[in-house]
Amino acid sequence: MLYIAEEKKKLGNDQYKAQNYQNALKLYSDAISLCPNSAAYYGNRAACYMMLLNYNSALTDARHAIRLDPNFEKAYVRVAKCCLALGDIIGTEQAVKTVVELEPQSTALSGEQQAVQKLRQLESTIQSNYDTQAYRNVVFYLDSALKLAPACLRYRLLKAECLAYLGRCDEALDIAVGVMKLDSTSADAIYVRGLCLYYTDNLEKGILHFERALQLDPDHQKSKRMRSKCKQLKDMKENGNILFKSGRYREAHVVYTDALKIDEHNKDINSKILYNRALVNTRIGALREAVLDCNRVLELNAQYLKALLLRARCHNDLEKFEEAVADYETALQLEKTPEIKRLLRDAKFALKKSKRKDYYKILGVARNATEDEIKKAYRKKALVHHPDRHSGSSAEERKDEELKFKEIGEAYAILSDARKKNRYDSGHDIEEQEQADFDPNQMFRSFFQFSGGRNASFNFEY
């Protein structure tokens, strides 16, 4: 049996040298079956497992070889290398210490000694950055740690957790799934999957994953905290929506505001809650606050079309037409629909109208004012601002009153003419030539002569 086992080992060595590690693994396993008490065979298979990046199996074989031969130096070397790859700092240091005791002049693990010191420094830096929620830094330093310990599942899952906090849930999920293929009972991996679901607004499934992690590890503190936070956020979000739909807007506003305090890192859910609160603000007439909420939504997610359209509508209602046009133009880039094209066209038209003089405002009448109301308004304001009434004022004051008098005359000239009024109400520009030739004094005289009142010479009541 020993002879056959040795032949198997030799054939395994040949395959190992040829880098046919799977074939070598089978031959070493055959040798171990024939001679299970040979430390060398376990040592060889450990080396083969290492080449296949199966560090857990390699570590098991190397430790078994040591039990068979406590002075097997190569086995300790392999233990150190495997522990380092797996991120086991203490295990690496112990193996290095034993090798030095067995062979004080050995340099076989000089690289591992330097690497494990570097790993200790990295772990300290990683922890301090994690504690201050500097997750980008944590990911950066974990990448350095994983170069030294590529098979460390703890590092991988911590990186995945931080990626989830940073909103990079697809990357985080890939890591968690990869770990679960190696260990389906990993509470940390299931926790990370739950975290990804939580940060993509799948709260119910997130809760199920946190509960599954707690079944596997009842003391998993992160899962406890996240399950509680997830349930709280789900309940508050649903309660706010119910209040909103039932028209209890101010109560909904309070609930949404409280919900936003639960987790500042959950950009997906927070953007939706902020949008809902913006809608509430439009219902209670707080348009400026609605705009601020939409601003925050778009800071979190620049592609949030509904928030962009709502902000545009608020800008339009606040008569900030340039901002409304800019928002609709951005929205049209995101989604080219007939409705957005119409809204943009209307906003541009409103902007154009806003740049004209508001003749209704100048006369102080409503847009649906009757012809008689327009006449009365002109009579009153023309008498107040006529230059003769301000002949004793300063030059600056006279100039200001003359300008107002002219604008009042322009307003009446447009609004008292059915054709011009119709064009003005429709948003069309009045011909510049007509406005250039306008004489407010002539308008004033004509008005009072036509209306049968006093002529242009009269005494004002001060």
Side-chain angles (χ1 to χ4, degrees), residues 15-66:
Q15 292 296 310
Y16 183 91
K17 290 175 184 176
Q19 299 183 2
N20 297 324
Y21 301 118
Q22 289 290 355
N23 293 339
L25 187 67
K26 183 179 184 307
L27 290 163
Y28 289 143
S29 296
D30 290 343
I32 289 171
S33 297
L34 294 167
C35 190
N37 295 320
S38 171
Y41 295 170
Y42 281 100
N44 286 359
R45 192 169 71 173
C48 196
Y49 274 128
M50 288 173 68
M51 299 308 296
L52 292 168
L53 306 181
N54 187 345
Y55 294 104
N56 283 307
S57 296
L59 184 59
T60 299
D61 274 358
R63 283 177 170 163
H64 191 77
I66 290 169

Side-chain angles (χ1 to χ4, degrees), residues 356-365 367 406-415 424 430 435:
R356 305 175 308 161
K357 293 179 181 178
D358 188 340
Y359 291 135
Y360 289 100
K361 187 174 182 181
I362 289 171
L363 287 183
V365 296
R367 290 189 173 272
K406 181 179 179 182
E407 286 183 337
I408 292 165
E410 285 181 4
Y412 181 69
I414 299 302
L415 299 183
Y424 177 78
I430 305 301
Q435 292 176 294

Side-chain angles (χ1 to χ4, degrees), residues 223-381:
S223 289
K224 286 183 180 179
R225 288 194 297 270
M226 285 308 305
R227 180 181 61 178
S228 175
K229 185 181 289 188
C230 204
K231 286 183 176 180
Q232 185 183 12
L233 192 52
K234 177 176 177 289
D235 291 344
M236 293 184 76
K237 184 182 174 186
E238 290 176 351
N239 186 32
N241 293 346
I242 290 170
L243 290 169
F244 176 81
K245 291 176 182 177
S246 62
R248 296 159 66 182
Y249 301 125
R250 296 193 181 278
E251 293 175 66
H253 190 285
V254 171
V255 173
Y256 287 141
T257 300
D258 289 341
L260 288 167
K261 299 173 184 176
I262 294 175
D263 187 356
E264 64 181 20
H265 296 292
N266 199 325
K267 295 181 179 180
D268 192 7
I269 290 180
N270 287 350
S271 63
K272 294 175 182 176
I273 294 173
L274 280 164
Y275 172 74
N276 288 350
R277 193 173 72 174
L279 281 175
V280 168
N281 279 322
T282 64
R283 296 294 196 278
I284 61 177
L287 295 181
R288 288 179 175 80
E289 288 75 9
V291 168
L292 292 176
D293 279 343
C294 289
N295 290 344
R296 289 181 60 189
V297 173
L298 294 165
E299 287 171 7
L300 295 173
N301 179 6
Q303 308 295 308
Y304 204 125
L305 182 60
K306 289 200 295 185
L308 192 59
L309 292 173
L310 180 60
R311 187 174 71 176
R313 194 180 85 199
C314 291
H315 279 148
N316 191 72
D317 291 344
L318 289 166
E319 297 186 358
K320 294 185 176 181
F321 300 115
E322 290 185 359
E323 289 88 342
V325 168
D327 280 344
Y328 283 129
E329 285 178 339
T330 303
L332 193 60
Q333 292 174 1
L334 296 177
E335 190 173 303
K336 290 180 171 57
T337 66
E339 177 62 13
I340 296 177
K341 288 180 181 178
R342 182 189 66 77
L343 290 169
L344 175 58
R345 186 171 59 251
D346 291 347
K348 285 182 175 180
F349 187 59
L351 174 60
K352 181 180 177 182
K353 287 174 66 176
S354 72
K355 292 184 179 297
R356 305 175 308 161
K357 293 179 181 178
D358 188 340
Y359 291 135
Y360 289 100
K361 187 174 182 181
I362 289 171
L363 287 183
V365 296
R367 290 189 173 272
N368 60 351
T370 63
E371 183 179 345
D372 189 49
E373 288 172 334
I374 290 171
K375 285 182 178 180
K376 287 181 180 179
Y378 172 70
R379 179 194 296 274
K380 180 179 178 181
K381 285 187 173 288

